[in-house]
Amino acid sequence: MAEGDYKARVHYAGDEFFIGTTPSGVSQAIDVKGDRRSAPSPLEMLLISVAACTAADVISILLKKRQDVRGYDVEVTGERVAEHPRKFTAFRVHHIVQGRDISEDAVKHAIELSDTKYCSVAATVRPTAEVTTSYEIKEV
């Protein structure tokens, strides 16, 4: 799915559960009952979406640059305001690249490309929330 309209559906399943169905037909349980924690909440999915979008870009670029990546994680922290609707005002995205002889320049460039050109989720939240990135490289 590259262009045009995307259509998703959310169905109320009872007891503060919803079933979300993506445009590609994949279903995901959503739990809005705060203390139950049996499925992600919408806010948790937004955090994961920011991380997953940039992660997909960065790993693809690093592999194209023939980096010997042995492990890769992205941690994202969101900052919200206290008053409703308690929107996110900032996302801090931290990339952790594990591998052998990983080029720092390659990591910086991959993150920059994701940040400025490819990650549509970060581009979507950026008008109302600051997105900052950091990274660390671990030799394994």
Side-chain angles (χ1 to χ4, degrees):
M1 298 185 138
E3 295 181 35
D5 293 337
Y6 287 70
K7 184 178 180 181
R9 181 182 178 126
V10 174
H11 171 74
Y12 181 59
D15 194 25
E16 298 184 61
F17 275 110
F18 293 85
I19 304 298
T21 304
T22 67
S24 60
V26 177
S27 294
Q28 169 69 53
I30 304 163
D31 189 355
V32 298
K33 193 173 194 175
D35 58 344
R36 184 172 39 209
R37 300 185 193 320
S38 62
S41 73
L43 282 172
E44 290 171 329
M45 289 194 300
L46 180 57
L47 283 171
I48 290 170
S49 293
V50 169
C53 183
T54 190
D57 297 337
V58 170
I59 195 65
S60 174
I61 293 165
L62 289 176
L63 294 176
K64 285 177 184 165
K65 290 178 176 280
R66 300 184 193 278
Q67 296 299 296
D68 188 6
V69 177
R70 303 291 177 100
Y72 176 52
D73 295 292
V74 177
E75 297 173 348
V76 61
T77 305
E79 213 173 281
R80 296 172 63 198
V81 296
E83 51 290 331
H84 288 282
R86 303 208 50 224
K87 68 179 183 174
F88 282 110
T89 57
F91 294 92
R92 290 182 301 285
V93 181
H94 184 66
H95 300 262
I96 304 163
V97 181
Q98 301 166 4
R100 296 209 173 137
D101 299 318
I102 302 293
S103 162
E104 185 172 358
D105 288 340
V107 172
K108 280 187 201 177
H109 188 242
I111 292 169
E112 179 185 346
L113 283 173
S114 177
D115 231 18
T116 61
K117 186 173 182 179
Y118 294 120
C119 182
S120 56
V121 177
T124 300
V125 299
R126 193 170 277 117
T128 59
E130 178 184 29
V131 179
T132 57
T133 60
S134 60
Y135 66 90
E136 62 184 288
I137 299 170
K138 295 181 178 181
E139 187 73 20
V140 294

